[in-house]
Amino acid sequence: MCPHDPACPPADALDREAARTLACHPEQGWSLLCNGVVLFEDTGELLPSGAVIAPHRPLPAAI
Protein backbone atom coordinates (compact mmCIF):
# COMPACT_ATOMS: atom_id res chain seq x y z
CA MET A 1 0.00 0.00 0.00
CA CYS A 2 1.05 3.55 -0.65
CA PRO A 3 2.53 5.32 2.40
CA HIS A 4 2.02 8.81 0.95
CA ASP A 5 -0.58 11.31 2.13
CA PRO A 6 -2.63 11.76 0.05
CA ALA A 7 -2.26 8.26 -1.36
CA CYS A 8 -0.98 7.78 -4.90
CA PRO A 9 -3.53 6.67 -7.51
CA PRO A 10 -3.83 2.88 -7.80
CA ALA A 11 -2.41 1.02 -10.80
CA ASP A 12 -5.87 0.52 -12.32
CA ALA A 13 -6.80 4.24 -12.19
CA LEU A 14 -6.70 6.42 -15.30
CA ASP A 15 -4.28 8.81 -13.56
CA ARG A 16 -1.90 5.99 -12.46
CA GLU A 17 1.08 7.89 -13.93
CA ALA A 18 0.65 10.55 -11.22
CA ALA A 19 2.02 8.17 -8.57
CA ARG A 20 5.39 9.04 -7.05
CA THR A 21 8.57 7.55 -8.46
CA LEU A 22 10.28 4.97 -6.21
CA ALA A 23 13.13 4.00 -8.53
CA CYS A 24 14.36 5.76 -11.65
CA HIS A 25 16.71 4.17 -14.19
CA PRO A 26 16.98 6.64 -17.10
CA GLU A 27 20.02 4.78 -18.47
CA GLN A 28 17.71 1.79 -18.98
CA GLY A 29 14.63 3.83 -19.89
CA TRP A 30 12.23 2.96 -17.07
CA SER A 31 10.92 4.04 -13.68
CA LEU A 32 9.03 2.21 -10.94
CA LEU A 33 6.08 4.10 -9.50
CA CYS A 34 4.68 3.79 -5.98
CA ASN A 35 1.61 1.93 -7.25
CA GLY A 36 3.75 -0.82 -8.82
CA VAL A 37 3.54 0.46 -12.40
CA VAL A 38 6.72 0.31 -14.48
CA LEU A 39 6.73 3.38 -16.70
CA PHE A 40 8.93 3.32 -19.81
CA GLU A 41 10.42 6.42 -21.45
CA ASP A 42 8.46 5.72 -24.66
CA THR A 43 5.31 6.17 -22.46
CA GLY A 44 4.48 2.46 -22.45
CA GLU A 45 3.57 0.89 -19.11
CA LEU A 46 3.66 -2.48 -17.41
CA LEU A 47 1.00 -2.87 -14.72
CA PRO A 48 1.47 -5.02 -11.60
CA SER A 49 -1.12 -7.45 -13.01
CA GLY A 50 1.15 -8.07 -16.01
CA ALA A 51 -1.04 -6.07 -18.38
CA VAL A 52 0.77 -3.95 -20.94
CA ILE A 53 -0.27 -0.41 -21.87
CA ALA A 54 1.02 0.55 -25.31
CA PRO A 55 2.92 3.83 -25.73
CA HIS A 56 0.44 6.70 -25.84
CA ARG A 57 2.14 9.89 -26.90
CA PRO A 58 -0.16 12.81 -27.71
CA LEU A 59 -0.64 13.64 -31.36
CA PRO A 60 1.11 16.79 -32.62
CA ALA A 61 -1.07 19.89 -32.88
CA ALA A 62 -2.42 20.70 -36.33
CA ILE A 63 -0.75 23.65 -38.02
Side-chain angles (χ1 to χ4, degrees):
M1 298 311 287
C2 176
H4 302 114
D5 187 26
C8 293
D12 58 353
L14 291 176
D15 61 345
R16 64 183 152 261
E17 295 173 14
R20 293 188 188 187
T21 302
L22 293 181
C24 183
H25 294 276
E27 72 283 359
Q28 296 177 354
W30 62 274
S31 297
L32 175 64
L33 303 182
C34 181
N35 55 11
V37 172
V38 177
L39 181 63
F40 296 96
E41 70 179 15
D42 71 351
T43 70
E45 301 172 22
L46 179 60
L47 303 183
S49 66
V52 175
I53 307 295
H56 47 280
R57 295 183 182 178
L59 296 174
I63 298 177

